[in-house]
Each structure stands twice: as structure tokens, then as C-alpha cells.
Amino acid sequence: MSMTDLSRQLRLYLEASPQALSAQEVYALVDNFVSDCNSSDEAEVSIHNLENELQAIRDTLDLKECAQTEALLSVLRHLEPALSSTSLISTWFDLVLRPALREPRLSHKAITLAKDLVIVALEKPDNRYPEIQGEFRRRILDLYLLDAVNEASAEDVLEWVDLPKDQRDQRNIWKENLEDILVVFGIDQPEAFLIQVFHCFASPSSRLQLIGLLNRYTTEPLFEQHACVLSAHPLMSSILTSLLVDNSTTACTINLTMLTKLLPIFAAKDHSTLKRTLPQLFAILARILCWREREPPTPAHSPIPENIASGEEHGTTEGDHPMQATEGSRSLDANPDLLWERLELSFDSTAAPAPSPQRYFTFLYYLFPCNLIAFLRDPVGYLNERHVERPYAVDWEDAIDHELVKTKTELLLRQHVTHPQLIWNNAEAEMNNPVFFEQYDTARVVAESLLLEVRNSHLASQGSTASEMATSTDTKENVTAPPPLLLDTSDTGLGTIDSNSTPPMQTVEICGKPRVSLQDMVNTSIALKSHLEVDIVDPTPIWPYALFQSETTPRSSGKPEPEGSVVQAIAALQREVLLLRNELNFELWLARENVRQIGRLFEQRIMNRNAEVERQNLHNKLRENRALISDLQRKLKEHTEQTEMTKKKYADWNAELSRKLQDLRDQKRNWMSETAALRLAEKELRAQFEAQGNLLAEAERRELQLKTSIKETEHKVARLKDYERRIEQHTAMQNLWDEDIQKFKEQKELMKVMLSKYQKMELRLEAYEKTHSEMEEQARASRRQIQTLEAKLKLIPSKVSPKTPRTSFSNELARLREEKTKLQEENVELKDEIEELKAMVEMLRAQVRGHSGLLSEPSRSPVMTSAVLRGV
């Protein structure tokens, strides 16, 4: 199909014309066009023309119509094999892909097509413009950091609240799509993704967002395949440095959660790197243990309610804002040699609790228990012994509070059972010997790590039946119910709320034990992840917009900012959302790993059950075989007795037969001797006659071969005459080449060498001619001798009687024929050498006299060239 017809069909299809073909037919036309372009020499021109047509069609479309946008994205997806990444970046990203990624009304299929095209633009190599793709990768990350909603920024949240619902949906879907694109790009090309993140990680303003992105990235199931890339990447060092230096509680909490997930993954995929970074991991544990909560602010008015979750403040000191929360302990200055720009407080809020080291400690305790105990005994000595670079301006002695570490780790150790490796290994052997979890997968490491906790240790040896569990459940239900739980959902500290914005929440009294349906929670999670339309039953109250300006009232430039309590409430909610999302991601990851471990244990249980069934079958078979063996042994004994009796009878009978057989053999031996004598005499006579007949046949055959060889050499003689004629022609041509001798005087020295070789060749030629003449004389003599012998051979039948021996004559005849054959072969070889020498002589003469023409070289014969090479 021509370009015009294809453009017309695309226009009709994208404009949803009634005359348009079906979607499948249009896509088939596009696929045929792509295949034709791949096999065409002018593919770039065709693609460029089609892109121009599509841009013209796109200008006529109304992209607010989701159907037209989805159709255009489908066409671009089918054109993707022929489109370069540069074209997708420079032409289609701003025109189609970016608006589609910001449109919440698009279907899941259309958004998936747009994301796939962006991922292709990020990954598909373009050797002509590689810098454009590099800039686009950085641009996507910048859009995620700067253009999408930053939940860690109070200004972005205030702006987001003032926006209409459709714009809020646009920003939400825009951020989700960018995050999905970056995660898929990181899975497909981890090295390029980590490089971009590493460059942006140095900026404190983007660090919290990047930590959240990396947290989502490491939660993906396919990340385990690329864990070795992250472990060896400089970004991993930056993550560890952030945990050691940054003061943001939120960033540290999310970062610690991500590192906790990475520990079992690195243990299963790259435990050598985990060993190298172990001292830094212990230093991070010490910093978390020494982390003290920031003191709540002491405002002069508008106090923050106690039930608001804690948060952080961004980059200011206590003296700048009297309302900010302050740390309970002094902040250690970073080591200037690190060249690290510290991330200070991220939110304006009340006091922030320290990150919980529970999970992090559990995984470290499972992986390296001996080294962990050695570190806890003497943290400073352990770090100094391993020459860990200090990230602070002070030494480790001043940075680590040993008593605080001892107090908190005592509580952590009481929550864990004793690790078996503490009995079998020590710290040095644990680092030098192969690790016990070398063959484990991530799910097994996670499951066994959690079993070290006291609350989960009973699961390791749990063997109770379902009835016992039911009894236990009934017993628990008979226990006295806890006191009623009063939930005061009113927020008195945030001021008066308008009844038109948010309905008031009443105090709810919960009597007895709360009952939660786990199946409902699972069903809700699956429904939300399936991207289907979901009807929300009993929705939660909407956002309290009364805390902020109304959407209908524009904010004037002179209107003051919201009160400090509102800002702190927003910061608290922001931080709580981030931490809850971080906890949700970790729990989802933990649940996924537990499901994998459950599947492995279930498979192992089935295998054990099958093995037990097979063992029981083998045991039954063994008993059957033992009974069968007893029966067979009894029968064998009976057969043995019968065999002994049979052997005795057989021996007597065999002796009688042997005697008779010996007599018959003697008679047969006499007959055979007489027969052999007669046959030998007959065989000698027949052999004599056959030998005479063979000699005659051989003589005739050799005669025929000689005649055949004579006929075979006739064409060689004719060829020699032809060569002589050609030599005369070439000699005549050589006379025409003498005029060009002056142009090759610079080859005079070479010609002298060639002349000397030529003289040697003439001497050799004379020797070969002399040898040839002698060989010809010998050949003529041999032919005369052969003729004489043939004449004698014809007279032999009339003169020799049948009884005369012919052995000497046959030997002589065979020897003469062999000599004749050998002489003929030598004659042929000498003739070939003469031909080669003649060709060599002619070529040497041509080289001495010059080349044909004024500028061209003389044509050389392959035979002459090979002859010259052998002569040299």
C-alpha cells in the first residue's frame, strides 16, 4: 500500500469515521508498512513522511477524547519497531505521550501503551544521537522529582489541596506513571537507572523522593535478578552514607526499611559484598540505636494536638523558628572529607520518634550473629579494628554512646532466641569460612530470620493440629474481654471546622475484641490492584478542606499564610502517609517472601509425603521379596539335589559316549589323512595351471596399459607444440616492450640479481636437458628391449612344453615392465620440469626487457608465477 492510502486510512481511523477500516485491519496495514520499511533501503524517508502525516492528523484531533488518544497510542505502538528512540523523544513525547500520562480518564490499556512507548524511548539504542537519549533519561527523573507532586513538601501539598479534583487526579496519575516508568526502566537497564539516581542523590532536596523511589524499586520481584548491580554500584555507598550522616528521621526510616529488604536479597545473591560492608551496617545500627527523639516545640499559642503523628522540619535551626521541633541530643558534624551535603529535617511538625531498629537488627542477627555480638560488646573497638572511615568530624568514641547501645540492644536481644551459629562459630571464622546461607534463597532467609524472634519462635516447631488450634481459639474467646476502646475522632486542636466541608466524626465505642475479616482485606487488596472499577462502601470522610482556603476563593497576594498549627498538622499527616506507605511496601514485600517460603515448604512437605509413601511401598515390596526369596531358596535346594543325581547319570553316560566317540574319531582321522593327500595333489596341479593362466593374463594387461599410456602422452606432446607456438608469440610481443626500458632504470640492481638467477636457471636447464636426453635414450633402449621381449613372448607357446617351468621368465618380464613404468613416470616429470623452466625463462626475459605499454604491468601466467616462486 502506498503512503497516501495508508495516511488516508489512518486519518479515517483516528477520526473515528464510519468509512474507516476496523482496528485490526488498520494495525495490520501498519505492521505491513513496518515490515516493508525494514526491508527497504529508504526506510528513514518513509518513516519520516509517515510521522509528518501523523503529526498533521494529530493536529486535527481532539486529544481530550480518550478514544482518539488511545487509537493514536495504539498506532504508535505498532509503529514502534520502525521508530527510533530519538523520534519518540523529540517528536511524540511532548505531543502525545506526556499528555496521555497526565490524563486520569484514559483506560488502563492506553496508559500502558504510553508507558511502554516511553520505556522504549529510554531503552532503545540510537547510535546516531546517543546524547539525546541520555538527556531524556535525566529529564524523566527530573520530571519525577520536580514536576510530580512531592509529598515531602508542605508547599506542594498546600497547592495540591487548592486544586480542583480533576487537576489533583492528573497530578496523582502523572506521578504514578512516572514512578512505574522509572521502576520498569530500572529493572530492564539497572546500570543506567542507578547512574541517573546516583547523580541526583547528592542533592538533599531530592534525596527523600529518590529514597522512596528506590524503596519501590527494591520491592519489585524482578529486582533480585539485578541485586548484584546495586551492591557494586556507588549508589549503595551513598545510601549507607545517608543513613550515617543525614538527620531526617523520615528519610532514615524509609532508608532503613529499604536496607532491611536488601539484606536478605544480598545474602542470597551477593553475600561477598555483604561481608565487605558489614562494619558499615553495624555502624548504621549503632547510629539508629543512639538516635534520640526530637523534643516537641513549645509554642506560645495554637498547640499541636497530641494525637497528630510526629514529623520533621526542613533545613532550619532552632533559632530561626521558635515553633520547630528540636533534637534531644546534639547533632554530629559530618566529616568534610566526605563532601556530603547533609539532609536536615524534612517536615515542620512535632517531635519525631526514632527509626525502629527491630527488623534491621533481626536480619543482621540472623546473617552474622557472631560479628554482631562482637560489635555490641565493643562497638568502637570493632569499627577501629576494621578501619571503618568515620563519617563525622569526631572519632567513633565520641560519636557512639556505648551505654545507650548496651541498654537498647539488651531489649532487642531479649526479643530474640539464641542463634545456633553463636555456639559453632566465632566472629573471625564467620567472616573467613563460607556462610551457612550460601545456598538459601531470599524467601528462606526472610522466613528463618523472623523465626529468631521470640514471638515467632514457636512456629519453628509448631506441630499442633487444627483441633488444637480451634480449642486454643475457643479458650481465648472465653477470656475476659478487654475494656471498651474509645476512639475520639474529633480534632479539637485544629480550630473550628465548617460543617459544609467535612462531616464531624463522632466518638466510637468498641466493646469486646475487635473482629476483622482477613478474607475481606485480601479481596479488597486484589480488587484495588486489578485496576478495575470499584464501588466504595462506607467511604471515609473526605479531606478537611476547611483547614485551608476554599477552592472557589482565589488566594490574594496579601493574605497571610495558614496558621502554624495547620502547617504542623499537614507535616504530621505528610510524614505519617510516607511512613505508612513505606510500612505497607515493606509488609507487602515481607508477605510476598513469606508466600514464596510457604510455597517452598508446601512443596517440600508434598515431597516428604511422597517419599514416605514410596518408603512404605518399598517396605511392603521388601516383605514380599523376602517371602519370594524363601520360596525360591527351597525350590533351589530341591533342584540342586535333582541336579546332583542327574550329573552322576550324565557322567556315566558321557564316559560311554566318549569311548565310542574316540573310536569314530580314529577312523575318521585315517579317512581324512588319505583325503587330504589326494586333495593336496589335485590342488597343486590346479594351482600350477592357474598360475600359468594368470601370468598370460597379466602380460596381456600390461601390454594394454603400455598402449594406453602411449596414447595418453600424445596430447602432452601436442600441448608442448602449442606452448612453443605461444612462446613464439610472446617472444614477438616482448620485442614491442623494449621501448619502456628507460622508465625502469631504478630496477637495475634487481635485474642484476634476476640475471644471476637466470644464468643459474640456464645451467640447471642445460643439466635437465642433458638428463632428459639420457632418459630418452634409456627409454628408447627400454622400448627396444620390450619389443624384443614381446617377440620372444609370442614364440614361447610353440617352443616351451607344458611341463617346462616359467617362473624365471615371468619374474624377468615383471621386472622389465616395472622399469619401463618407472622410466615413463620419470620422463613425464622431466617434461613437466622442462615446461616450467621454459616458462620461467620467458618470464625472466620479460622482466629484464621491461613491461608492456607505458604504464601498465605485463600480465603474468599463473604457471609462470608458480614456477618462478619455486625457482626462487
Side-chain angles (χ1 to χ4, degrees):
M1 180 177 288
S2 63
M3 179 66 69
T4 305
D5 296 338
L6 179 60
S7 301
R8 185 172 61 84
Q9 293 298 333
L10 288 176
R11 181 180 293 276
L12 293 175
Y13 172 69
L14 295 177
E15 292 178 352
S17 174
Q19 302 176 357
L21 300 176
S22 63
Q24 298 300 327
E25 293 175 343
V26 172
Y27 298 154
L29 292 177
V30 175
D31 293 338
N32 293 334
F33 173 78
V34 171
S35 60
D36 294 340
C37 289
N38 292 333
S39 60
S40 175
D41 297 335
E42 299 180 352
E44 295 183 1
V45 178
S46 301
I47 292 296
H48 180 70
N49 293 335
L50 183 60
E51 283 189 278
N52 292 335
E53 292 292 336
L54 282 177
Q55 291 182 39
I57 296 172
R58 182 263 174 197
D59 294 338
T60 62
L61 298 178
D62 184 11
L63 293 183
K64 294 182 180 180
E65 295 292 335
C66 296
Q68 294 184 353
T69 303
E70 182 175 351
L72 182 57
L73 289 172
S74 300
V75 171
L76 290 176
R77 190 68 181 90
H78 282 269
L79 279 175
E80 177 268 324
L83 295 177
S84 63
S85 59
T86 303
S87 175
L88 290 172
I89 294 169
S90 59
T91 303
W92 298 109
F93 180 73
D94 292 323
L95 287 178
V96 179
L97 301 181
R98 184 172 178 178
L101 294 175
R102 300 176 68 99
E103 181 56 58
R105 297 176 301 165
L106 280 179
S107 63
H108 177 67
K109 176 183 177 182
I111 293 178
T112 302
L113 292 174
K115 290 192 288 188
D116 291 343
L117 290 172
V118 176
I119 293 170
V120 169
L122 289 170
E123 298 177 358
K124 190 175 184 179
D126 190 351
N127 298 327
R128 294 181 302 175
Y129 307 103
E131 64 282 354
I132 295 179
Q133 190 176 53
E135 294 175 358
F136 183 66
R137 291 173 177 176
R138 181 60 184 270
R139 181 186 176 190
I140 291 295
L141 189 58
D142 290 341
L143 288 174
Y144 176 77
L145 297 175
L146 303 176
D147 192 45
V149 177
N150 183 7
E151 297 176 351
S153 173
E155 292 80 2
D156 285 0
V157 174
L158 288 173
E159 182 183 357
W160 182 82
V161 169
D162 290 338
L163 293 175
K165 184 179 183 303
D166 54 348
Q167 295 186 15
R168 292 199 301 270
D169 294 339
Q170 287 181 359
R171 292 200 174 190
N172 288 335
I173 196 69
W174 173 237
K175 181 176 181 179
E176 292 176 2
N177 292 333
L178 287 177
E179 190 172 279
D180 293 340
I181 289 170
L182 289 172
V183 169
V184 175
F185 173 60
I187 296 297
D188 295 339
Q189 295 188 8
E191 187 69 30
F193 170 73
L194 295 178
I195 287 175
Q196 298 297 333
V197 175
F198 173 71
H199 291 324
C200 297
F201 202 81
S203 175
S205 59
S206 305
R207 194 170 299 158
L208 184 57
Q209 289 179 271
L210 292 176
I211 291 173
L213 176 62
L214 289 174
N215 189 24
R216 161 74 190 285
Y217 173 61
T218 54
T219 309
E220 292 296 317
L222 296 178
F223 167 73
E224 293 186 16
Q225 303 175 5
H226 311 292
C228 296
V229 179
L230 177 59
S231 64
H233 200 273
L235 179 61
M236 193 64 204
S237 300
S238 299
I239 294 173
L240 299 179
T241 304
S242 174
L243 281 167
L244 287 171
V245 178
D246 289 343
N247 286 335
S248 172
T249 306
T250 306
C252 183
T253 303
I254 301 175
N255 223 346
L256 187 65
T257 303
M258 178 177 64
L259 185 60
T260 304
K261 289 188 295 185
L262 291 178
L263 287 178
I265 296 175
F266 288 167
K269 301 298 181 181
D270 191 8
H271 54 81
S272 59
T273 302
L274 196 61
K275 283 185 176 181
R276 289 195 300 268
T277 58
L278 188 60
Q280 286 182 291
L281 298 177
F282 287 159
I284 293 171
L285 176 63
R287 198 212 179 192
I288 300 302
L289 293 174
C290 295
W291 196 295
R292 297 183 180 177
E293 296 183 9
R294 289 182 284 110
E295 297 177 357
T298 55
H301 56 86
S302 300
I304 299 295
E306 292 181 0
N307 59 344
I308 300 289
S310 59
E312 301 174 14
E313 183 183 6
H314 178 68
T316 58
T317 61
E318 184 178 358
D320 295 334
H321 301 282
M323 287 290 296
Q324 79 171 37
T326 58
E327 287 201 34
S329 61
R330 62 184 179 87
S331 176
L332 299 175
D333 294 332
N335 190 351
D337 296 337
L338 289 178
L339 302 177
W340 182 263
E341 191 173 355
R342 171 178 284 176
L343 174 62
E344 299 294 345
L345 309 183
S346 302
F347 293 100
D348 296 330
S349 66
T350 59
S356 174
Q358 175 73 28
R359 297 289 192 188
Y360 184 65
F361 178 86
T362 300
F363 285 115
L364 285 179
Y365 180 62
Y366 172 75
L367 298 174
F368 301 99
C370 299
N371 278 272
L372 179 59
I373 298 301
F375 170 77
L376 295 178
R377 288 196 185 103
D378 185 12
V380 176
Y382 186 91
L383 296 177
N384 290 332
E385 182 181 352
R386 283 147 182 83
H387 307 288
V388 179
E389 182 182 3
R390 55 184 177 85
Y392 310 112
V394 297
D395 295 332
W396 288 112
E397 291 83 352
D398 300 329
I400 297 178
D401 188 348
H402 183 61
E403 292 299 326
L404 185 59
V405 170
K406 180 179 178 181
T407 302
K408 291 191 176 182
T409 52
E410 183 178 356
L411 298 175
L412 291 174
L413 288 172
R414 288 182 178 180
Q415 297 174 6
H416 295 78
V417 298
T418 302
H419 200 297
Q421 295 294 326
L422 293 174
I423 304 173
W424 303 330
N425 279 336
N426 55 31
E428 184 178 357
E430 192 174 61
M431 297 300 292
N432 297 330
N433 297 338
V435 293
F436 67 93
F437 51 83
E438 186 174 5
Q439 302 298 328
Y440 292 3
D441 59 353
T442 305
R444 184 172 180 181
V445 172
V446 172
E448 294 190 3
S449 299
L450 297 179
L451 290 178
L452 290 177
E453 296 181 352
V454 174
R455 59 182 179 179
N456 299 327
S457 60
H458 67 283
L459 297 176
S461 58
Q462 184 179 12
S464 59
T465 60
S467 60
E468 294 175 346
M469 295 177 63
T471 304
S472 175
T473 304
D474 295 337
T475 304
K476 290 181 180 180
E477 289 179 356
N478 293 330
V479 178
T480 304
L485 177 63
L486 296 179
L487 300 179
D488 188 5
T489 55
S490 61
D491 202 350
T492 59
L494 297 179
T496 305
I497 300 177
D498 188 6
S499 59
N500 295 329
S501 59
T502 304
M505 300 179 64
Q506 305 298 329
T507 300
V508 181
E509 181 177 353
I510 300 178
C511 299
K513 181 186 297 183
R515 302 180 63 86
V516 179
S517 174
L518 182 61
Q519 184 62 40
D520 292 343
M521 296 171 63
V522 173
N523 295 338
T524 304
S525 176
I526 295 174
L528 292 176
K529 291 180 179 180
S530 62
H531 302 285
L532 299 176
E533 296 295 334
V534 180
D535 293 332
I536 306 298
V537 181
D538 297 331
T540 58
I542 60 176
W543 182 275
Y545 292 104
L547 295 175
F548 316 103
Q549 274 191 327
S550 176
E551 294 179 359
T552 58
T553 306
R555 179 177 296 177
S556 61
S557 58
K559 190 170 183 177
E561 295 294 327
E563 296 181 358
S565 60
V566 175
V567 175
Q568 290 183 3
I570 293 173
L573 293 174
Q574 286 177 259
R575 183 177 186 276
E576 197 68 22
V577 167
L578 290 178
L579 294 181
L580 288 175
R581 185 176 298 168
N582 171 62
E583 188 67 22
L584 175 61
N585 289 334
F586 182 78
E587 292 298 331
L588 289 175
W589 173 82
L590 198 61
R592 188 185 70 215
E593 298 301 328
N594 288 334
V595 168
R596 289 173 56 187
Q597 179 67 6
I598 290 170
R600 187 184 68 82
L601 293 176
F602 182 72
E603 182 179 357
Q604 184 177 0
R605 180 183 177 186
I606 292 176
M607 292 176 63
N608 293 337
R609 185 183 301 170
N610 294 338
E612 179 65 23
V613 173
E614 185 177 359
R615 188 190 67 80
Q616 188 64 33
N617 293 335
L618 290 176
H619 181 69
N620 297 333
K621 191 69 174 178
L622 179 61
R623 289 190 297 180
E624 295 175 0
N625 290 337
R626 284 177 179 173
L628 181 60
I629 289 172
S630 300
D631 189 20
L632 292 176
Q633 286 178 347
R634 180 181 55 79
K635 292 181 180 180
L636 179 62
K637 186 176 181 181
E638 295 176 356
H639 285 297
T640 303
E641 293 175 355
Q642 294 178 2
T643 304
E644 292 295 334
M645 297 176 60
T646 306
K647 282 183 178 180
K648 292 179 180 178
K649 295 180 181 180
Y650 174 75
D652 298 338
W653 181 70
N654 194 21
E656 182 68 21
L657 289 180
S658 297
R659 185 181 59 77
K660 294 181 181 180
L661 183 61
Q662 186 64 31
D663 295 340
L664 294 175
R665 284 177 178 174
D666 293 338
Q667 295 177 5
K668 184 178 180 182
R669 190 179 298 111
N670 295 331
W671 295 343
M672 291 297 293
S673 60
E674 295 176 0
T675 305
L678 294 174
R679 288 179 178 175
L680 180 61
E682 182 183 5
K683 185 176 181 181
E684 289 178 354
L685 293 175
R686 289 183 178 180
Q688 186 176 1
F689 288 129
E690 289 179 359
Q692 292 176 355
N694 291 335
L695 290 174
L696 289 175
E698 183 67 21
E700 292 177 355
R701 187 180 63 79
R702 291 178 180 271
E703 181 182 3
L704 181 61
Q705 289 179 352
L706 291 174
K707 291 180 180 179
T708 305
S709 61
I710 292 171
K711 291 182 180 180
E712 288 177 353
T713 54
E714 287 180 357
H715 73 280
K716 293 184 179 180
V717 176
R719 189 186 300 172
L720 286 174
K721 292 180 180 180
D722 185 40
Y723 285 163
E724 290 176 355
R725 180 178 58 78
R726 292 183 181 180
I727 289 171
E728 291 177 357
Q729 292 176 358
H730 292 161
T731 305
M733 293 177 65
Q734 291 290 346
N735 296 331
L736 300 176
W737 296 346
D738 294 336
E739 297 177 358
D740 298 331
I741 294 176
Q742 297 301 326
K743 295 183 180 180
F744 304 98
K745 289 182 179 181
E746 62 274 9
Q747 299 181 358
K748 185 175 182 180
E749 294 300 327
L750 180 62
M751 293 300 105
K752 289 181 180 180
V753 177
M754 300 302 291
L755 285 174
S756 63
K757 291 182 179 180
Y758 169 69
Q759 292 175 357
K760 293 178 183 179
M761 293 299 174
E762 284 185 343
L763 293 177
R764 291 180 65 184
L765 179 61
E766 291 176 358
Y768 283 138
E769 288 178 351
K770 183 177 180 181
T771 304
H772 179 63
S773 61
E774 292 176 356
M775 297 299 292
E776 286 182 348
E777 290 297 333
Q778 292 178 2
R780 284 195 292 273
S782 299
R783 284 195 294 271
R784 288 195 298 271
Q785 188 176 4
I786 290 170
Q787 292 175 359
T788 303
L789 292 175
E790 289 177 351
K792 290 180 181 181
L793 184 62
K794 293 178 181 180
L795 299 176
I796 285 175
S798 62
K799 294 180 180 181
V800 181
S801 62
K803 296 182 180 181
T804 304
R806 301 176 60 183
T807 305
S808 59
F809 174 75
S810 299
N811 294 335
E812 182 67 19
L813 182 61
R815 184 182 61 79
L816 292 175
R817 287 176 177 173
E818 290 176 358
E819 290 180 356
K820 177 182 176 183
T821 304
K822 184 176 181 181
L823 291 173
Q824 286 178 347
E825 292 176 355
E826 292 179 353
N827 188 14
V828 172
E829 292 177 358
L830 290 173
K831 286 181 180 180
D832 293 338
E833 291 182 0
I834 290 171
E835 292 176 0
E836 293 178 356
L837 289 173
K838 286 181 180 180
M840 186 193 312
V841 169
E842 293 300 329
M843 191 189 70
L844 292 174
R845 287 176 180 174
Q847 291 181 354
V848 171
R849 293 177 182 178
H851 301 271
S852 64
L854 296 176
L855 298 176
S856 62
E857 294 183 358
S859 60
R860 298 182 180 179
S861 173
V863 178
M864 293 181 182
T865 305
S866 61
V868 171
L869 293 174
R870 286 196 294 269
V872 175

